[in-house]
Amino acid sequence: ARVENLNDLAAFQMMTYELGPLMQFFAGSTQLLRAGALINPMYWIKQLIRDPIHANLVAGSGIITPLHSMRGFVEVLMKNSRESKILTDRGVLGSVDSTTTINQFLEQFGKEKASPTILTKALSKIMSIHEASDAATRVEIYKKAEAKALKEGKTAEQAMSYAVHMARESINFSVHGNSPTLNALRHSIPFFSAAINSLDTVYRAATGFGLNAKEKREAQVMFISRAVMMFSLSIMYAMLYQDDEEYKKLPDYVKDNHWLIPNPMSEKPPFIKVPTPFEIGFFFKTIPEGLVRYFSDTSTGKEVLASYKAGLIHNLPANGLPIPQAIKPVLENIVNYSFFTGRGIEGMSDQGRPVAERGQRASEFAKTLSSYGLDRIGQSPAKIDNLIQGYFAELGTFSAGLASSLLFMAEGKEPPAKNIENMPFMKAFLTDRNVVKAISDFYELDHNAKEVATYFNNLKQSGMTEDIQKLIDDPEKKAQLMASPVFRKVSTQMATIRKAITYYKDNQDSGSPEFRRDKINELTEILGRVAESGYKIAEATGVSR
């Protein structure tokens, strides 16, 4: 079929369906988490970093940096951006909520301005800041495209139309399609539509989809040249860090999802975290960096494959698991597994501890709720925090932190002082000195070795000699069996150190908040060194990581 009017096509692409009671419930959970994620200054700043890098590979524009996007952000906020007004008039910019039906839109249209409350005004202002961060890069794409078109001899009207098209197609969040299945997924899973549109944008840029032969070739050459440049720069970046001990200590998910810049203000924390764009970051930063780590022996093959698997899953719509947001956090708690992080909600170090004590880094608010009876139904502090973040995103984390502070005040307690990287806002952009890769790795090594040793002892008691021989014939299991007694000694040492950390966390008589913070930092550093000794034991006995 041939479409004469592109506005008609856009109308069909954005068509929505009416929702039944169940889908309305699911959509409510989706909107709740979406609001919690977007009402967040850290999200806005990350967007101003990610969007221009993404645009450089997919938008066909000139080079756009985060500084360009920051300029556009300020201009949009100050309401003196000509380009923003044009893009808003053409429907490219503005609030886009793919879970709002036409009837819902018509019901609320104009009501906010008729009798706005203080809360409505505040939320409207906050969302306008988010919309400005979302618009900033597209405003800069418009500027580049318009200047290019005028330079090529197009009229002002032609240049405007071309620039609007380029800004819209850099990533078109308003395209929804008219599939009933996708409509249901979009309403029940946060950011599902955005993930599809983002992947579609990368695909179109890489293949030149929909362009004539000449334009397709130009688009493919531009995409490949910029992709090769980013891939090469990522290799050089990674090579610079392979002898850096602080880099090696960081968990792989921190390395995979950020560029790390040495902190010029202090040795601790050692790095500033700069977020990478999603699909582009995975293909042209995570993959080459993983290769460098593998060939430099700073990561094992298993660890690199785990990074690739996590990156692939995170870049699929709904993380590859189309589970409605309304039930996802509850399901995660039941199976004790975070579908987002790919790790247990309660860590290996929590195994065997009372339910109310599982979650060393949990909020005081979650610890209190668990101790007041929720532990009886299996809700540990770690799981309660997972529910709060699962339903309310960063807004929930902030609220739990605020509630924790109020609880401390009400009980007359004073917690240890926070490291700068654990303070609100700063923790999004600084690495945490007390999150050490070796610690979590060792607990997993120890847990696996314990399981093999327990299985071996059960076989021995039952006299199952054939199964014992099979176990011993397996090199990996034999190595774990040999390492288990030594791992047990290391684990006992770590338990003693963790007990001391807990003492300084909970005991106000142990010193001032600053003194207790410093002691916790010291002990965590020692804990990391002890855990690293587990690496040496694993290597000596042949246990793979």
Side-chain angles (χ1 to χ4, degrees), residues 452-475 477-478 481:
V452 172
T454 300
Y455 178 54
F456 175 80
N457 290 331
N458 290 338
L459 293 177
K460 191 176 177 181
Q461 289 175 4
S462 303
M464 302 176 71
T465 55
E466 289 185 11
D467 289 334
I468 290 174
Q469 190 60 48
K470 285 181 183 178
L471 186 148
I472 294 173
D473 288 341
D474 185 322
K477 286 186 170 55
K478 182 180 178 180
L481 187 61

Side-chain angles (χ1 to χ4, degrees), residues 9-42:
L9 174 62
F12 279 106
Q13 288 176 321
M14 292 184 284
M15 186 173 70
T16 57
Y17 292 83
E18 287 305 301
L19 305 177
L22 180 62
M23 286 307 303
Q24 287 178 353
F25 171 72
F26 284 168
S29 297
T30 301
Q31 290 173 324
L32 188 63
L33 184 125
R34 182 175 179 271
L38 299 183
I39 303 175
N40 177 10
M42 284 80 79

Side-chain angles (χ1 to χ4, degrees), residues 208-453:
F209 180 83
L211 302 177
N212 62 45
K214 180 175 180 294
E215 291 176 333
K216 176 184 286 190
R217 179 61 182 164
E218 290 175 352
Q220 289 175 333
V221 168
M222 189 204 74
F223 181 86
I224 291 171
S225 62
R226 293 187 180 183
V228 168
M229 180 177 68
M230 186 173 177
F231 196 96
S232 302
L233 289 173
S234 294
I235 288 177
M236 289 188 283
Y237 156 86
M239 290 176 67
L240 290 173
Y241 278 120
Q242 296 315 300
D243 293 326
D244 190 306
E245 293 302 321
E246 294 298 333
Y247 171 89
K248 293 177 187 177
K249 290 178 183 177
L250 293 172
D252 288 343
Y253 65 84
V254 175
K255 302 170 192 171
D256 294 337
N257 298 316
H258 302 89
W259 285 291
L260 302 171
I261 300 173
N263 186 353
M265 305 299 292
S266 171
E267 292 183 1
K268 295 288 185 177
F271 299 108
I272 297 170
K273 298 187 298 186
V274 179
T276 58
F278 296 109
E279 302 86 6
I280 296 299
F282 171 63
F283 287 117
F284 307 120
K285 192 271 184 185
T286 301
I287 288 178
E289 185 174 354
L291 290 173
V292 172
R293 295 205 309 260
Y294 175 70
F295 286 112
S296 301
D297 288 328
T298 56
S299 285
T300 66
K302 280 185 180 180
E303 289 170 336
V304 172
L305 289 176
S307 288
Y308 290 172
K309 178 183 175 183
L312 180 62
I313 289 172
H314 288 169
N315 284 289
L316 292 174
N319 291 334
L321 289 168
I323 302 171
Q325 177 60 28
I327 63 174
K328 187 175 181 180
V330 173
L331 181 60
E332 287 180 329
N333 277 16
I334 291 171
V335 299
N336 188 36
Y337 183 81
S338 169
F339 298 122
F340 179 73
T341 65
R343 297 188 301 277
I345 297 167
E346 295 173 355
M348 293 294 182
S349 62
D350 290 319
Q351 303 306 310
R353 299 172 67 90
V355 173
E357 295 179 14
R358 296 176 190 171
Q360 290 280 321
R361 300 175 68 84
S363 66
E364 187 66 19
F365 178 64
K367 290 177 181 177
T368 301
L369 290 178
S370 184
S371 66
Y372 279 1
L374 289 181
D375 59 330
R376 296 175 188 171
I377 56 173
Q379 296 307 299
S380 64
K383 288 186 175 181
I384 292 171
D385 271 344
N386 182 66
L387 285 175
I388 293 171
Q389 188 169 24
Y391 284 115
F392 303 101
E394 282 78 4
L395 184 61
T397 303
F398 175 79
S399 300
L402 181 61
S404 297
S405 298
L406 294 174
L407 280 170
F408 277 123
M409 290 175 59
E411 295 171 359
K413 294 181 180 178
E414 197 168 12
K418 288 184 177 181
N419 294 318
I420 186 171
E421 66 267 26
N422 297 131
M423 294 179 180
F425 180 81
M426 300 304 295
K427 61 184 177 182
F429 301 103
L430 293 173
T431 55
D432 189 338
R433 73 191 78 185
N434 289 336
V435 175
V436 182
K437 179 178 184 291
I439 296 174
S440 58
D441 282 357
F442 174 78
Y443 280 123
E444 185 167 355
L445 288 170
D446 182 46
H447 175 76
N448 293 338
K450 280 179 182 175
E451 285 190 335
V452 172

Side-chain angles (χ1 to χ4, degrees), residues 46-104:
K46 289 179 180 180
Q47 192 168 18
L48 292 174
I49 296 170
R50 288 179 174 136
D51 284 1
I53 298 170
H54 184 273
N56 285 329
L57 270 83
V58 306
S61 60
I63 298 298
I64 297 174
T65 69
L67 292 176
H68 287 106
S69 291
M70 182 60 73
R71 178 184 65 185
F73 175 66
V74 172
E75 289 176 354
V76 174
L77 275 183
M78 299 297 292
K79 300 187 184 301
N80 61 1
S81 170
R82 162 185 165 269
E83 296 79 14
S84 172
K85 293 173 184 175
I86 293 171
L87 292 173
T88 301
D89 289 342
R90 299 293 183 94
V92 177
L93 301 182
S95 178
V96 176
D97 184 355
S98 61
T99 65
T100 300
T101 65
I102 187 63
N103 285 341
Q104 289 174 322

